[in-house]
């Protein structure tokens, strides 16, 4: 099946620093990628939708200047958490939509962010 | 507004039993209903999905039952095994290549040996 990878899998950073998370589709072209945030024992909350070559669409309540998303190629999207604070600590998960498989989204393994 | 409501929040089932998780949706524009399985520290994985033009879909031990008039759907896991212990999410989306998935709140399933 289709594979989506994320890097890094875990990251610890100091408050005020920026962290970049990569999401790659390994064996298919992803015209659309999604970024989710999941707090412990909670559901996945969509943060933004990223289309290759265009600006991301953010969900209500998500700060676009704080969570920078870049989708420069059909296989790579990046999420940068700028000036991270402890409340940004969470599990960040990306998904990629295979353009040939309609609604099927393949999820990455997630990135655990801990901001000290 | 919670568009996809899921219950129960947690569920304990004996090995070999049937696990049943229920979901209800509000938006009649939804036309794709996937179920995801998530293990701790991992991303969710698609388990099975259904469209509203069928009332049931079965894949191995997993079955989705769909009631369009009631706007409800459920996941049945037959012969539940300890390896099925995970968190299950129902979800819904509107059928287009750019549509987003709305997740239910999740059910933590534990299968007792």
């Amino acid at each position: 099946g289709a594979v989506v990878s994320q890097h890094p899998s875990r990251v610890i950073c100091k408050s005020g620093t920026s962290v970049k998370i990569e999401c790659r589709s390994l064996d298919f072209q992803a015209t659309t990628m999604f970024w989710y945030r999941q707090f412990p024992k909670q559901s996945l909350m969509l943060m933004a939708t990223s289309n290759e070559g265009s600006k991301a669409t953010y969900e209500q309540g998500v700060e676009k200047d704080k969570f920078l998303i870049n989708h420069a190629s059909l296989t790579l999207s990046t999420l940068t958490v700028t000036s991270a604070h402890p409340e940004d600590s969470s599990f960040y998960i990306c998904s990629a939509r295979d353009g040939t498989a309609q609604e099927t989204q393949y999820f990455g393994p997630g990135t655990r962010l801990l901001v000290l | 507004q919670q568009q996809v409501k899921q219950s129960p929040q947690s569920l304990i089932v004996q090995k070999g039993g049937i696990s049943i998780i229920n979901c209800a949706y509000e938006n009649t524009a939804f036309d794709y209903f996937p179920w995801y399985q998530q293990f701790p520290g991992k991303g969710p994985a698609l388990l099975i999905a259904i469209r509203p033009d069928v009332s049931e879909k079965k894949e191995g031990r997993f079955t989705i039952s769909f009631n369009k008039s009631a706007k409800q759907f459920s996941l049945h896991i037959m012969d539940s095994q300890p390896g099925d212990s995970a968190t299950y999410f129902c979800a819904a989306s509107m059928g287009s290549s750019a549509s987003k998935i709305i997740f239910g709140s999740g059910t933590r399933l534990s299968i007792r040996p």
Side-chain angles (χ1 to χ4, degrees), chain A residues 27-81:
Chain A
D27 52 1
F28 65 97
Q29 293 187 330
T31 54
T32 304
M33 289 185 171
F34 302 85
W35 286 96
Y36 296 83
R37 180 167 52 184
Q38 185 178 32
F39 292 106
K41 298 184 179 181
Q42 293 190 22
S43 187
L44 285 77
M45 299 302 296
L46 181 65
M47 299 175 67
T49 301
S50 168
N51 291 298
E52 186 265 338
S54 63
K55 290 184 178 181
T57 302
Y58 290 80
E59 294 300 302
Q60 189 174 10
V62 178
E63 300 175 59
K64 62 179 65 177
D65 294 330
K66 180 169 183 61
F67 298 99
L68 301 179
I69 292 173
N70 184 281
H71 192 162
S73 78
L74 286 173
T75 59
L76 173 65
S77 176
T78 61
L79 168 67
T80 301
V81 183

Side-chain angles (χ1 to χ4, degrees), chain B:
Chain B
Q1 181 186 15
Q2 189 177 1
Q3 295 196 57
V4 180
K5 296 182 180 180
Q6 183 172 346
S7 64
Q9 186 175 24
S10 62
L11 180 63
I12 300 174
V13 175
Q14 287 294 124
K15 178 183 176 182
I18 302 174
S19 303
I20 302 175
I21 304 171
N22 301 299
C23 283
Y25 63 98
E26 299 171 358
N27 191 340
T28 55
F30 289 141
D31 63 356
Y32 178 70
F33 302 89
W35 283 89
Y36 290 88
Q37 179 189 56
Q38 185 181 32
F39 293 103
K42 305 295 183 182
L46 178 65
L47 197 60
I48 186 173
I50 197 170
R51 290 194 170 277
D53 53 349
V54 297
S55 60
E56 185 176 283
K57 183 175 182 179
K58 183 176 181 180
E59 291 185 2
R61 296 184 295 111
F62 301 92
T63 300
I64 299 178
S65 297
F66 189 87
N67 186 329
K68 186 175 181 178
S69 61
K71 293 188 288 185
Q72 296 176 347
F73 58 111
S74 61
L75 175 69
H76 291 63
I77 304 176
M78 312 299 288
D79 187 28
S80 299
Q81 298 297 311
D84 296 330
S85 298
T87 299
Y88 292 81
F89 293 97
C90 62
S93 72
M94 286 172 269
S96 79
S97 61
S99 60
K100 58 188 180 185
I101 290 179
I102 307 299
F103 282 84
S105 54
T107 296
R108 300 184 75 180
L109 174 65
S110 294
I111 307 301
R112 292 285 171 79

